[in-house]
Amino acid sequence: MRQRHSDYMNWAKTQSRARFNLATSGVGSFPLSELPHACERLDINGDSTYGYAPLQEAIARHCGVHPGCVVAAAGTSMANHLAMAALLDPGDEVLIEHPVYELIVSTALFLGADVKRFTRRPENGFALDPAEIRSSLTSRTKLIVLTNLHNPSSVLAPETVLREVGNLARSVGARVLVDEVYLDAVYENTPRSSCHLGPEFVVTTSLTKVYGLSGLRCGWILAEPHLAQAMWRLNDLFASIPAHPAELLSVAAFEHLGLIRERARRVVEADRAALSEFLDRQTRLSAVRTEWGTTSFVRLRGEPVDSFLGRLREKYETSAVPGHFFEMPDYFRIGMGVNHEMFREGLRRIGECLNDSV
Ligand SMILES: Cc1ncc(COP(=O)(O)O)c(C=O)c1O
């Protein structure tokens, strides 16, 4: 039986919210009213077939690629689905990182792929380790999938390591799919996209997590032109054309992307500083500390995470994402960048909940 659901997405949509919501993954919403002249340019229909040319060009400029390498998709969600659907046939072997954003595995299983895993070891700071990939790679491997920044830990894979992964993939004729939806949350010296590292790299991303523009569903795939063409053709079976008002607003957003990113940066950085101070004081919590990213993956000792998060929600009106959704049940994920007052109070409540445990 193929997998036809995502337990994580269902939980995120129906149960993740709380008064002090630390179960987020992206920054707070960017309001339409702060996007200059956006509404004056709105229309319902436009000239969109295999992409809307002004948006294709804006994405290509932003990523430093030719527009022929860009495939627009509804968020990184649909970009991941479309990319995997184009790259995998039923039974194909796909090597996916662990711990992982659950939708990547669910989607590969839905597509009938033979899912194998490689580990990003907690004792190794969740680093991407080519040796782990090498030991799981076979001549049947068609695709290696990873996130950069890593969701849930926000750990960054350096370009040298990504190149090694690319070499491994090339040695068996496989490709590397890198989900870069969090990469622009490296605010200083933002690394360039791994799409520049070679034709075996296929990249997915969007304006959701780091820009607060989730509602636009402005996502895309970067791939070499003949593969991009194949993806556009496959997309005809999924999505026909996007909502044109969203395309127009996305073009407007690209004109002010620097400003949009900076707006959220202040909150992300204030939250990270508060989290760091908080973790310094906790003996039962530990996390890999990163200087970037909108999520932190925290290990809890001395109590099952699900019972802790249950009490945190019931008694302290605070939520975080249970680690079992990332196949790491001793952890929970905290999200930064939405509202600093809410975040500080959420942390304070986590502290109280820890004091109040068995
Ligand atoms: C790694 C990863 N990829 C993709 C997505 C979905 O992104 P989008 O909102 O752009 O569809 C998420 C959302 O949490 C994510 O964490």
Side-chain angles (χ1 to χ4, degrees):
M1 281 281 279
R2 281 192 184 189
Q3 172 139 347
R4 287 193 164 82
H5 64 274
S6 159
D7 289 337
Y8 167 69
M9 190 54 88
N10 183 251
W11 179 87
K13 286 179 173 175
T14 61
Q15 288 168 66
S16 68
R17 288 180 201 165
R19 185 165 164 220
F20 302 95
N21 184 357
L22 272 51
T24 56
S25 55
V27 303
S29 297
F30 186 86
L32 180 60
S33 56
E34 288 188 28
L35 198 55
H37 309 297
C39 292
E40 296 156 25
R41 294 154 59 170
L42 273 184
D43 209 339
I44 293 173
N45 298 305
D47 188 12
S48 182
T49 55
Y50 292 109
Y52 174 55
L55 182 55
Q56 287 290 110
E57 280 153 25
I59 296 171
R61 227 180 356 260
H62 174 70
C63 302
V65 300
H66 187 273
C69 299
V70 176
V71 183
T76 313
S77 304
M78 195 58 198
N80 282 339
H81 190 132
L82 182 56
M84 284 197 266
L87 293 167
L88 294 170
D89 284 317
D92 276 354
E93 192 173 281
V94 55
L95 208 48
I96 301 178
E97 68 186 7
H98 174 288
V100 69
Y101 173 56
E102 189 248 32
L103 263 295
I104 291 176
V105 172
S106 304
T107 303
L109 289 173
F110 169 71
L111 292 169
D114 181 11
V115 173
K116 300 271 161 51
R117 312 301 297 277
F118 68 93
T119 308
R120 300 179 66 138
R121 297 192 182 281
E123 61 273 25
N124 206 7
F126 295 111
L128 181 67
D129 181 356
E132 294 284 345
I133 297 177
R134 190 179 300 111
S135 68
S136 307
L137 196 73
T138 75
S139 57
R140 292 181 52 241
T141 306
K142 285 282 174 357
L143 187 65
I144 299 166
V145 190
L146 55 106
T147 53
N148 194 33
L149 305 177
H150 179 222
N151 181 9
S153 70
S154 286
V155 166
L156 172 71
E159 195 169 299
T160 47
V161 170
L162 290 166
R163 279 188 193 281
E164 280 187 63
V165 176
N167 291 341
L168 287 171
R170 199 173 325 115
S171 71
V172 296
R175 296 198 190 251
V176 188
L177 176 61
V178 187
D179 176 329
E180 294 182 352
V181 73
Y182 298 100
L183 189 62
D184 285 356
V186 182
Y187 292 108
E188 293 296 324
N189 302 317
T190 309
R192 62 178 187 158
S193 167
S194 51
C195 75
H196 298 288
L197 302 182
E200 53 280 349
F201 284 88
V202 174
V203 164
T204 54
T205 190
S206 64
L207 298 185
T208 60
K209 304 293 169 192
V210 182
Y211 298 91
L213 298 170
S214 177
L216 294 182
R217 299 283 81 210
C218 179
W220 60 90
I221 304 164
L222 304 174
E224 56 175 330
H226 84 269
L227 186 54
Q229 268 303 319
M231 289 176 180
W232 276 119
R233 296 293 299 272
L234 175 58
N235 188 55
D236 282 338
L237 277 59
F238 292 150
S240 183
I241 54 165
H244 189 57
E247 291 179 314
L248 291 172
L249 289 175
S250 300
V251 172
F254 271 104
E255 289 166 14
H256 303 280
L257 216 50
L259 174 149
I260 295 170
R261 187 164 81 137
E262 283 303 308
R263 185 181 187 274
R265 173 180 180 169
R266 276 177 269 129
V267 187
V268 175
E269 291 185 343
D271 286 359
R272 179 172 301 102
L275 177 63
S276 186
E277 272 176 33
F278 174 75
L279 289 174
D280 285 345
R281 286 185 271 112
Q282 304 302 324
T283 50
R284 289 173 52 207
L285 300 182
S286 58
V288 175
R289 313 285 182 98
T290 63
E291 290 163 33
W292 42 70
T294 54
T295 63
S296 180
F297 205 34
V298 180
R299 179 161 184 208
L300 171 70
R301 287 183 190 75
E303 183 183 0
V305 165
D306 286 343
S307 90
F308 175 75
L309 291 185
R311 192 169 69 255
L312 184 66
R313 169 179 289 282
E314 291 310 312
K315 203 166 160 191
Y316 297 98
E317 300 176 279
T318 302
S319 62
V321 184
H324 69 76
F325 286 123
F326 304 93
E327 308 163 307
M328 300 285 286
D330 296 342
Y331 287 71
F332 59 91
R333 194 189 69 185
I334 284 180
M336 293 169 269
V338 177
N339 175 313
H340 186 56
E341 280 65 45
M342 178 187 78
F343 188 79
R344 286 195 83 90
E345 180 59 20
L347 288 183
R348 198 187 65 73
R349 287 168 182 243
I350 289 176
E352 283 198 5
C353 190
L354 282 167
N355 292 335
D356 165 7
S357 74
V358 277

